[in-house]
Amino acid sequence: MHEYAREVIEAVKARDPLEPEFHQAVTEVFESVAPVLDAHSEYRQARILERLVEPERVIMFRVPWVDDNGDIQVNRGFRVQMNSAIGPYKGGLRFHPSVNLSTMKFLGFEQTFKNALTTLPMGGAKGGSDFNPKGKSDSEVMRFCQSFMTELYRHIGPDTDVPAGDIGVGGREIGYLFGQYKRLKNEFTGVLTGKGLGWGGSLVRPEATGYGVAYFITEMLATKGDSLAGKTIAISGYGNVGTYFVQKAVEFGAKVVSIGDEYGCAFDPDGISGEKLAYMADLWTVYRKSAKEYADKFDCEWRPETKPWRFIKCDIAVPTAMQNEIEAEDAAALVANGCQVVCEAANMPCTSEAIHVFEEAGVMYAPGKAANAGGVATSGLEMSQNSMRLSWSSDEVDGRLHQIMTGIHQACLEAAERFGSPGDYATGANIAGFLKVANAMMDQGVV
Ligand code: 2IT
């Protein structure tokens, strides 16, 4: 670890000791950029690391709402506006009971470098609430979203901060949030992405994160003269990212054999496709049910309270759920079962210890900030279309997404090579993202 990076990490831990996820994200990036700091003392003089770890603005607010029984509920809302050096703040909103300031800061920090890698002009932010949409009626979700936006609207805007979805925030929630923003501001603008296709959304935005991951893995395998055809893949979620990843992976000839959620994991050795894939797509968005329903409906194995990583033999593991879902023991089990590629579709799903296990075993590992950047990249394309007041065809958007993903893959490999870690995607992604953001900050002075 570089001495300057170590000093700043220690200062972050001392100042905010109760933010382990944020410490983890900062440590991973700052460990990677050691060779850059060695070669460029100007970043230290400009206190770039101290500025990167301090969000430009943190907004925390009360979100009161009335449930279907007439009882008053109170949740906590957040928006962490991390860094605007290369564009307006941009990043998703997460509605999940695990949301707190640490998770919001880690996600905003990751988003800053991810957005830089897309090459589009977007700064980094994240927001959300500890509200749990599971088990809530549509009207409860609507009232919650309206209350959330009643505070958030004064802090965002199409040239200021453009939120989108993340875990627990999909098309339904974006609709309610957009409706309330429009009503409060009396303005129809591209203030959110992931909008409905009939009112400013972009074709391919729903598919983009999953497709992007499949494009990224394809590039990784191509460096070894290999492809997705015939590969067995384990995934852990069944939401938007997982669903469209499965669709593209199947198109590329692979077989995806698991889905899961916080209750357990469904193992389908025949692979998810056709009718089963269509059901998976509707499982949450239409039926609002657990992954167990899939196992029941298609008569396959359901393992309660188990993660797929522990028992499934796969060539490729694609965590699509939550931070730190792959721990060291899970990583060891994957390696023992012959897994050769781990590609993060979620944000920071591997612990630092798990990544270490993969490195030791020579498993190819791609970090989320590179591999899952297709979602936010296509959000950037939605912003462009909104600004121009026109819509591109699916082929146009998908073509740009594909080009962006191959570009990110290339940028990771080039940065890794240039700074002495050839083939190391994590180091390459962190360095490439860091250089773009840090250089913009240098140009813009002490702000
Ligand atoms: O983690 C992510 O990149 C997202 N949730 C998407 C953010 C966005 O603004 O589309």
Side-chain angles (χ1 to χ4, degrees), residues 49-66:
L49 299 189
E50 286 88 335
R51 287 198 267 157
L52 278 170
V53 296
E54 198 61 29
E56 290 180 15
R57 193 173 296 102
V58 175
I59 301 139
M60 279 176 67
F61 50 100
R62 181 205 296 161
V63 190
W65 55 283
V66 180

Side-chain angles (χ1 to χ4, degrees), residues 90-92 111 114 126 162-166 193 205 347 372 375-376 379:
K90 181 86 194 85
Q111 197 80 45
K114 183 197 304 196
K126 205 80 185 191
V162 182
D166 192 80
T193 59
R205 176 63 189 91
N347 292 311
N372 74 31
V376 73
S379 278

Side-chain angles (χ1 to χ4, degrees), residues 188-211:
F188 194 114
T189 58
V191 69
L192 293 165
T193 59
K195 297 185 291 300
L197 286 180
W199 42 278
S202 173
L203 286 161
V204 192
R205 176 63 189 91
E207 295 86 348
T209 313
Y211 281 14

